[in-house]
Amino acid sequence: MQESKQRPVSVFREFLDGEAAGGIILMVAAALALIVANSPLAETYFSVLHAYLGPLSVSHWVNDGLMAVFFLLVGLEIKREMLDGQLSTWPRRVLPGIAAAGGMLVPALVYVLINRDNGPALSGWAIPTATDIAFALGVLSLLGSRVPASLKVFLTALAIIDDLGAVIIIAIFYTSGLSLAYLGAAFAVIAVLVVLNRMRVMTLVPYLVLGAILWVLVLKSGVHATLAGVALALTIPLERSAGIGHDLHHSPLHRLEHGLHRIVPFFVIPIFGFANAGVSLAGLSFGALIEPLTLGVAAGLVVGKLVGVLGSSALAIRLGLADLPAHAGWSHMVGISLLCGIGFTMSLFIGLLAFAGDVALQDAVKVGILAGSFIAAILGAAVLLMAPAAGGAEEDTE
């Protein structure tokens, strides 16, 4: 019986390693985008992003096309973890679930409070609610063995639930101008995918072909095209682990997930980061940094995430609903809560949706995200470096 529980953990650890490496590459891509956007190559950089390839611009292909692949992986991870992984039982879901809820609610409140008199900016309330799992795990990987493994699992579980929340937010609050004809056709394709699942069709080809058709229909329906990736993921068959000897790659979901783990962290996300992190800093002043929109995003990520994740976790633990992660103390939880303020990928994505067509507001959002994520990363790493090393956690870890 003990062996049957080990296989999902090994898959989870492999996932952690891949995300950590991808996070470091993402850092490099974001830094490179900032350098290029503030160099003599800036005009070329922006003109290439706005150039059209067929029906869409390069920027749209990245944000609507490549990011659909990212959302497909997000959907696969959510499904696997909920059914056969670290979130497969309620005791495992309690702490990261409560922490994720607090980590989304409080940053949104901080943002709204700062922008309460700035009507046009209020549509960006969801921007600081996201946690970038790749970036955060990349920072953790730089700290090595000082961080208990249980905290990496906690952070990843929290971020997966956070991603689920972001998907729901995008579907509900950032969808407009619906075409009922295309939406109906999209639901028809989803119905066919569900039938394939029920018939136990185990080859990926029909799912991927129908998934491509679904993406086109969703793109034209008015719902953001990336959500087609999540819908497709939820229909991919999953066979639960059957022990150490079981071949995880036999399940279509596992096969697709493992394939995407080679593509998304090292190709899709760095390209998205490079295409969207570039913002001109010419003329940027301290006054611009404390504009309500920029300040709301940055404060939401740094202060909101810290208060939301740490406060909700402490409440859950004090009420006896959950326990601290193994070998971790409260200083570790402070550090992890700060790292949750790294909101790069999903925050940028929500910002593009919230202020579609307004480049000035998008740039203000980017500055807030970059500043907030950088501060959160530095403060989180510093706290974790000063915390007791893994295995020597504080006395209040009971």
Side-chain angles (χ1 to χ4, degrees), residues 254-275:
H254 285 109
R255 292 203 309 272
L256 183 56
E257 185 182 4
H258 278 265
L260 291 177
H261 274 159
R262 298 181 178 91
I263 298 172
V264 172
F266 305 109
F267 178 72
V268 173
I269 296 303
I271 289 179
F272 173 82
F274 181 74

Side-chain angles (χ1 to χ4, degrees), residues 106-131:
V106 178
L109 291 176
V110 169
Y111 179 92
V112 170
L113 180 64
I114 293 175
N115 286 276
R116 62 189 181 279
D117 297 322
N118 187 16
L122 287 176
S123 61
W125 63 269
I127 295 170
T129 64
T131 293

Side-chain angles (χ1 to χ4, degrees), residues 38 100 140 208 261 274 283 301 308 329-330:
N38 291 276
L140 277 185
L208 297 180
H261 274 159
F274 181 74
L301 289 172
W330 285 108

Side-chain angles (χ1 to χ4, degrees), residues 42-266:
E43 185 176 345
T44 302
Y45 170 79
F46 290 111
S47 63
V48 168
L49 289 176
H50 292 102
Y52 271 75
L53 289 176
L56 300 175
S57 67
V58 171
S59 178
H60 277 103
W61 278 117
V62 171
N63 296 332
D64 291 2
L66 278 182
M67 285 301 282
V69 180
F70 166 73
F71 274 79
L72 172 58
L73 179 58
V74 167
L76 293 172
E77 288 163 355
I78 290 171
K79 180 174 180 177
R80 174 175 57 77
E81 291 303 327
M82 288 292 185
L83 296 180
D84 193 36
Q86 292 297 317
L87 299 174
S88 60
T89 63
W90 281 109
R92 288 179 171 180
R93 295 172 188 166
V94 170
L95 186 59
I98 292 175
M104 298 185 79
L105 177 61
V106 178
L109 291 176
V110 169
Y111 179 92
V112 170
L113 180 64
I114 293 175
N115 286 276
R116 62 189 181 279
D117 297 322
N118 187 16
L122 287 176
S123 61
W125 63 269
I127 295 170
T129 64
T131 293
D132 192 299
I133 184 173
F135 234 131
L137 288 174
V139 173
L140 277 185
S141 71
L142 298 177
L143 301 178
S145 60
R146 291 195 59 84
V147 181
S150 62
L151 280 182
K152 299 176 184 178
V153 173
F154 167 74
L155 175 60
T156 306
L158 184 155
I160 288 172
I161 297 172
D162 194 285
D163 282 344
L164 176 59
V167 168
I168 294 171
I169 286 172
I170 291 169
I172 296 175
F173 296 101
Y174 296 108
T175 293
S176 60
L178 290 178
S179 166
L180 295 181
Y182 281 112
L183 195 59
F187 276 114
V189 172
I190 293 173
V192 175
L193 287 165
V194 171
V195 170
L196 291 178
N197 181 296
R198 295 297 185 186
M199 293 175 61
R200 306 300 296 161
V201 174
M202 303 302 279
T203 178
L204 282 168
V205 174
Y207 293 98
L208 297 180
V209 171
L210 287 170
I213 296 172
L214 178 64
W215 178 82
V216 174
L217 293 173
V218 174
L219 176 68
K220 292 179 174 294
S221 73
V223 177
H224 201 273
T226 52
L227 296 180
V230 179
L232 173 61
L234 298 181
T235 67
I236 303 294
L238 168 67
E239 289 187 347
R240 298 194 180 194
S241 304
I244 273 294
H246 184 68
D247 182 9
L248 284 176
H249 296 271
H250 176 68
S251 172
L253 186 145
H254 285 109
R255 292 203 309 272
L256 183 56
E257 185 182 4
H258 278 265
L260 291 177
H261 274 159
R262 298 181 178 91
I263 298 172
V264 172
F266 305 109

